[in-house]
Amino acid sequence: MARTAFIGLGVMGFPMAGHLRAKGHEVTVWNRTREKAEAWAAKHSGAVAATPREAAAAAEIVCLMVGDDPDLRAVCYGDQGALAGLARDAVLVDHTTASADVARELAAAAAERGGHFIDAPVSGGQAGAENGALTVMCGGEPDAFARAEPVIRAYAKAVTLLGPAGSGQLTKMVNQICIAGLVQGLAEAINFAKRAGLDTDLVLATISKGAAQSWQMENRWKTMAEGRFDFGFAVDWMRKDLRIAIEEARRNGAPLPVTALVDQLYRLVQQKGGGRWDTSSLITNLTER
Ligand code: NAP
């Protein structure tokens, strides 16, 4: 069993840290809004630290799950940041979906302190975090990965090292590029089926057994057809992820025409107040016409 810290107890981090405790690891938590950390400690009987530095100081494996690059820098740097408390040989494991640049930057900063860094963004959403069934895409050094992997397993069904620091974030970008065009295709198909007067349930039951099958189809078809979006992965987060992918593509020269278009379609959803809706709300751009 490891001494761990968990920094960032949002929709994802709260249940992930809970799985660490359930597997018998020692867990010290820190959250910007302290009430959430106290609620977590009351539920899981772990320790609450006053700062990210204090949380990290107690741990061999320090997990992070915040929002974006600036949030990561806010919890990692400075006198009270996690890096200031990072013990020699400890591993900082970042589950935030962020840029590959910030991953490389934090890997260098951890190494300067004699520690290690693994970027480890996740796929599987809130349900995956709650069920301990996330897919974790990692970048970093093999030795550090080997030490972090058994801890990450507490909330994952798949944990893979894809290359040096930044490779996990680059893989998450590939994941989001796959999803963006697919959700728009699904939205167009459902809207078409409805306008064609088909029984959408029967259509799904039929085509989900064929080549059109996907996770998005299995898990989102019904709610999309019903127009329900008050759950799941928020459009605001998706736009952040697509911005990161589009910025990376500008550098590596990969054309992303469909991804860039879908990013703009999500912008329309935000403009009508759907920033917190699930990403399947793309269909509202079609149904409201
Ligand atoms: P969330 O519920 O909004 O939680 C964000 C967490 O980060 C909160 O604990 C928040 O603290 C903390 N935080 C944000 N900015 C901070 C700052 N500047 N300083 C300190 N703490 C800060 O978000 P989430 O849904 O858990 O998502 C977290 C990450 O996972 C994001 O990168 C997201 O893209 C990714 N992700 C999410 C999902 C999903 O389905 N939700 C799926 C895959 C990946 P407070 O409590 O004080 O606000």
Side-chain angles (χ1 to χ4, degrees):
M1 289 303 113
R3 278 179 290 116
T4 71
F6 209 105
I7 294 172
L9 301 170
V11 166
M12 301 293 286
F14 194 106
M16 289 164 76
H19 284 292
L20 287 181
R21 198 70 200 94
K23 289 284 185 310
H25 298 295
E26 274 179 41
V27 187
T28 303
V29 296
W30 180 84
N31 193 68
R32 178 178 58 181
T33 308
R34 193 178 167 98
E35 291 72 31
K36 281 193 210 167
E38 277 160 5
W40 186 93
K43 186 169 176 194
H44 298 288
S45 71
V48 177
T51 62
R53 176 183 182 151
E54 186 185 310
E60 301 154 289
I61 308 287
V62 181
C63 302
L64 306 167
M65 186 48 137
V66 291
D68 198 350
D69 291 16
D71 308 324
L72 269 177
R73 293 191 174 105
V75 298
C76 286
Y77 294 131
D79 275 0
Q80 300 308 321
L83 281 166
L86 197 69
R88 203 166 178 79
D89 256 352
V91 187
L92 196 56
V93 177
D94 177 31
H95 292 300
T96 311
T97 304
S99 69
D101 282 348
V102 81
R104 294 182 198 110
E105 175 191 310
L106 288 171
E112 258 176 41
R113 292 198 53 83
H116 308 274
F117 178 85
I118 302 284
D119 49 304
V122 307
S123 168
Q126 182 175 355
E130 287 169 355
N131 300 330
L134 293 167
T135 296
V136 189
M137 301 155 254
C138 301
E141 296 304 320
D143 287 354
F145 174 77
R147 287 178 45 222
E149 197 253 7
V151 172
I152 300 172
R153 281 266 163 210
Y155 39 78
K157 67 172 183 203
V159 189
T160 310
L161 181 65
L162 293 129
S167 304
Q169 295 297 355
L170 291 170
T171 304
K172 175 74 183 185
M173 293 174 213
V174 174
N175 187 77
Q176 300 307 68
I177 292 165
C178 288
I179 289 174
L182 197 151
V183 176
Q184 176 63 14
L186 193 54
E188 291 179 15
I190 293 169
N191 187 51
F192 177 95
K194 278 186 155 180
R195 290 189 188 221
L198 289 166
D199 173 342
T200 52
D201 282 347
L202 192 56
V203 169
L204 170 68
T206 306
I207 69 170
S208 65
K209 293 185 182 64
Q213 191 275 342
S214 66
W215 185 98
Q216 297 291 336
M217 177 179 281
E218 292 280 323
N219 292 280
R220 295 291 184 262
W221 170 281
K222 227 179 167 41
T223 43
M224 283 170 92
E226 291 165 5
R228 284 203 294 117
F229 311 110
D230 56 344
F231 63 91
F233 185 57
V235 166
D236 288 345
W237 278 147
M238 186 59 161
R239 282 214 75 205
K240 181 257 302 179
D241 293 2
L242 296 181
R243 170 181 50 75
I244 290 169
I246 290 166
E247 280 171 10
E248 188 68 38
R250 264 191 212 114
R251 280 199 293 266
N252 71 20
L256 295 180
V258 172
T259 307
L261 173 62
V262 173
D263 179 51
Q264 290 307 302
L265 295 173
Y266 277 125
R267 185 159 170 258
L268 297 180
V269 177
Q270 284 177 318
Q271 283 169 348
K272 60 186 147 195
R276 301 299 296 180
W277 294 348
D278 181 65
T279 45
S280 55
S281 57
L282 268 183
I283 195 170
T284 60
N285 291 329
L286 306 169
T287 52
E288 286 167 11
R289 278 202 188 129

